[in-house]
Amino acid sequence: MVYIIWFWCRQSFTMHLLQLMTSWAVVCDVWYLESENIKSGETAIEFAERVRDIISVLAGLNKVLWDGYLKYSRPSPKHREQKQQSFA
């Protein structure tokens, strides 16, 4: 199986789109999940985390506690120290 993944630090988004549009095929896996509803007493964040967990298990991905925006900017030294302390 061939994966076309965009690495923003190696390739501009425009070049990535050009690569996608000129490829003879784009292969992807699609899973259809049952509809999930928020449970009584469940907050929006808890609901989002529960749905994220369902998706990550099915797709075989690691569950992470951050939203992905750390890749766009360097975390502050204070944030980095807090994470190092929590892992230590």
Side-chain angles (χ1 to χ4, degrees):
M1 180 177 286
V2 176
Y3 291 98
I4 298 177
I5 301 172
W6 176 44
F7 293 105
W8 65 274
C9 58
R10 295 186 198 160
Q11 181 183 46
S12 70
F13 187 69
T14 306
M15 289 304 296
H16 176 67
L17 283 178
L18 180 66
Q19 180 185 6
L20 280 175
M21 289 186 229
T22 58
S23 297
W24 67 274
V26 177
V27 178
C28 65
D29 294 322
V30 178
W31 292 280
Y32 293 95
L33 302 174
E34 294 293 324
S35 176
E36 292 292 326
N37 297 313
I38 196 163
K39 296 178 179 176
S40 62
E42 186 176 44
T43 66
I45 292 176
E46 292 169 338
F47 173 68
E49 289 175 350
R50 183 169 56 86
V51 172
R52 180 200 61 201
D53 293 346
I54 293 168
I55 294 170
S56 65
V57 167
L58 183 66
L61 302 171
N62 293 331
K63 294 181 260 186
V64 294
L65 298 175
W66 54 279
D67 60 4
Y69 283 100
L70 283 177
K71 64 184 174 185
Y72 294 110
S73 62
R74 182 175 283 282
S76 69
K78 181 181 175 183
H79 177 74
R80 190 171 52 242
E81 289 172 10
Q82 288 175 346
K83 289 298 179 185
Q84 288 172 344
Q85 296 261 338
S86 68
F87 287 120

